[in-house]
Amino acid sequence: MADPKHRQPENAPGKYYVDDTCVPCHVCVDEAPGLIQYAADEGHVFFARQPVTPEEIRAAENAMKGCPTEAIGNDG
Ligand code: SF4
């Protein structure tokens, strides 16, 4: 389970976040390409912005479910 105390610092403020257990593996970027992006050093990903529309929320939830390391959290 993702740990909100270990959020990647680049995450946009809001309930969805990536923590420091991201590998990265690219699964979530495929699920939510408009929301999640790679950090500059490509060592992890983060939420560049929070989902707003129902489609974006669905994409964020799918990204969270698909993450093999459970690095994506939802504090909502
Ligand atoms: S699916 Fe999980 S481990 Fe893979 S890039 Fe996304 S947050 Fe990182």
Side-chain angles (χ1 to χ4, degrees), residues 18 21-29 36 38 44-45 63 66-72:
V18 177
T21 60
C22 173
V23 179
C25 71
H26 209 276
V27 167
C28 63
V29 180
I36 301 172
Y38 276 87
H44 63 270
V45 301
C67 177
T69 65
E70 300 184 355
I72 299 176

Side-chain angles (χ1 to χ4, degrees), residues 31-47:
E31 291 286 354
L35 303 175
I36 301 172
Q37 69 181 53
Y38 276 87
D41 68 358
E42 300 189 349
H44 63 270
V45 301
F46 63 93
F47 273 85

Side-chain angles (χ1 to χ4, degrees), residues 1-9 11 17-21 71 73 75:
M1 179 181 264
D3 184 346
K5 292 193 289 295
H6 292 275
R7 292 169 181 248
Q8 297 289 358
N11 285 296
Y17 62 93
V18 177
D19 78 4
D20 61 4
T21 60
D75 283 350

